[in-house]
Amino acid sequence: MHRKSKFSFKIKFSEVLLIIYVLLSAVFLAFKSGAFVINFKQIGFSVVSSMDKGVHFVFDGIKNTFSAVGELRKLRKDYNDLVIKLENYEEMQRTNADIRKENARLKEQLDFAVSMEEKNIPAQIIARDLDNAFTYLTIDKGSVNGIKKNMPVIAFQNGNRGLVGKVVQVGTFTSQIMPIYNINNIVSARIQNSRDLGLVNGLGSQDQPLQMQYIRKSVAESLNFGDIVVTSGENDNYMRDITIGTISKITTVDYNSSLNIELIPIIDFARLENVIVVNQKELNDRKSDSK
């Protein structure tokens, strides 16, 4: 038994030596033929290439991230610049529209002034006294421009010729107008259709209606809302048939023999900017010059 196991051990050891010898021979032959060198090169190339590709991917990702951030900032700046340009463009458009409206309004006033028979002086409102019932308007023309006290003042607004008031104070370069809504401004007027004569005065505010008095009750049925009231032209205070306003309310009072009539002014005083001061005693020489 002892000898047999020893013999089997020797056989196994010989086999191991044989395997080792074969492997060493194969390795030697491989080195000699260069096969291992090539494999090592391929393995090293693959490893290095993979690492290089990974590093390149990481750096490329970082580069793309920074590029994207830079592009985002540039896009944001471009967007803000475009917003500012758009706002400037819209403001310019609004300004141009305002200029066109102003030019059209001034042309309308000039054409109207030239067409008038009477000599007149176009003016612009530069101040308003709205603190009390005795309200006044200040214009940018005075005695040096030919303005005189008690001259009537009219305006051309939205295609309508309407009464504004009269000059009550004249300075060298400015003048003061008492508008028709001033409680002290009393105007002789007629209802255009019926030709009934009465007096019109204001209630102290441009936001309140005008009041017409001394129209007989007997003519109430012949009056209608919207009827036009014009200047009568009596006493030479104002020219004849200048529109004052339209009837908005008619009230009958038992103890009074006349009607209480309210008028809406034909002129929107809140939007009034330009007026025309009229010299009734002189003819308009500009009308003949323009022909």
Side-chain angles (χ1 to χ4, degrees):
M1 293 292 292
H2 180 71
R3 288 181 179 179
K4 187 176 182 180
S5 62
K6 184 176 179 181
F7 175 77
S8 60
F9 173 75
K10 288 182 179 179
I11 296 300
K12 290 181 180 180
F13 182 75
S14 298
E15 291 174 354
V16 171
L17 288 178
L18 179 61
I19 292 170
I20 291 173
Y21 176 76
V22 172
L23 289 175
L24 288 176
S25 298
V27 170
F28 176 76
L29 291 173
F31 272 112
K32 185 176 182 180
S33 62
F36 267 46
V37 174
I38 294 174
N39 291 337
F40 286 152
K41 286 183 179 180
Q42 290 178 346
I43 293 171
F45 177 76
S46 299
V47 173
V48 173
S49 297
S50 299
M51 292 179 63
D52 182 63
K53 185 176 181 180
V55 172
H56 176 74
F57 177 79
V58 172
F59 277 98
D60 191 55
I62 296 173
K63 179 181 177 182
N64 291 337
T65 301
F66 279 103
S67 298
V69 172
E71 290 179 1
L72 181 61
R73 289 177 179 173
K74 185 177 182 302
L75 288 174
R76 185 174 297 172
K77 182 179 181 301
D78 292 342
Y79 171 78
N80 292 333
D81 292 341
L82 287 174
V83 169
I84 294 173
K85 288 181 180 179
L86 180 60
E87 291 176 350
N88 292 337
Y89 175 77
E90 290 176 347
E91 180 64 26
M92 183 177 65
Q93 289 293 96
R94 286 193 293 268
T95 301
N96 289 338
D98 292 340
I99 291 174
R100 287 194 295 270
K101 289 180 181 178
E102 178 66 16
N103 288 340
R105 187 164 54 247
L106 291 176
K107 184 179 183 301
E108 183 182 55
Q109 291 281 342
L110 179 60
D111 292 344
F112 174 60
V114 170
S115 68
M116 291 182 61
E117 295 288 342
E118 299 87 357
K119 185 176 181 179
N120 56 81
I121 303 113
Q124 184 176 7
I125 297 173
I126 58 174
R128 300 169 190 258
D129 178 12
L130 304 176
D131 293 336
N132 52 62
F134 304 100
T135 52
Y136 296 92
L137 306 174
T138 302
I139 58 174
D140 62 348
K141 297 294 173 64
S143 59
V144 295
N145 306 107
I147 304 290
K148 295 180 181 179
K149 189 176 180 179
N150 293 324
M151 281 186 173
V153 182
I154 63 176
F156 194 72
Q157 187 182 67
N158 300 324
N160 298 313
R161 181 181 68 163
L163 182 64
V164 174
K166 65 179 179 180
V167 177
V168 292
Q169 188 172 342
V170 181
T172 305
F173 303 105
T174 61
S175 300
Q176 198 171 57
I177 297 171
M178 179 191 292
I180 56 175
Y181 55 81
N182 187 304
I183 61 175
N184 284 338
N185 196 349
I186 300 175
V187 182
S188 177
R190 289 187 184 274
I191 299 174
Q192 190 176 57
N193 292 335
S194 68
R195 307 308 295 175
D196 288 287
L197 182 66
L199 295 177
V200 173
N201 65 279
L203 297 176
S205 170
Q206 65 180 20
D207 299 321
Q208 291 181 291
L210 304 175
Q211 179 177 268
M212 188 173 191
Q213 303 180 72
Y214 306 111
I215 300 297
R216 298 167 298 163
K217 284 184 178 180
S218 58
V219 302
E221 293 184 358
S222 64
L223 303 181
N224 298 288
F225 299 123
D227 283 351
I228 297 174
V229 176
V230 298
T231 55
S232 67
E234 296 182 0
N235 302 323
D236 292 332
N237 289 331
Y238 298 97
M239 301 87 71
R240 186 184 180 92
D241 291 331
I242 302 297
T243 305
I244 299 173
T246 57
I247 295 177
S248 59
K249 184 178 181 181
I250 301 173
T251 305
T252 301
V253 182
D254 292 337
Y255 58 82
N256 199 334
S257 60
S258 61
L259 301 170
N260 288 337
I261 300 175
E262 291 184 0
L263 310 177
I264 297 176
I266 196 68
I267 296 296
D268 185 352
F269 285 91
R271 296 182 176 180
L272 184 62
E273 299 179 51
N274 302 95
V275 298
I276 297 173
V277 182
V278 182
N279 184 345
Q280 301 181 82
K281 298 181 180 179
E282 295 184 32
L283 294 177
N284 184 4
D285 53 355
R286 285 175 297 182
K287 183 177 180 181
S288 58
D289 292 342
S290 63
K291 292 181 179 180

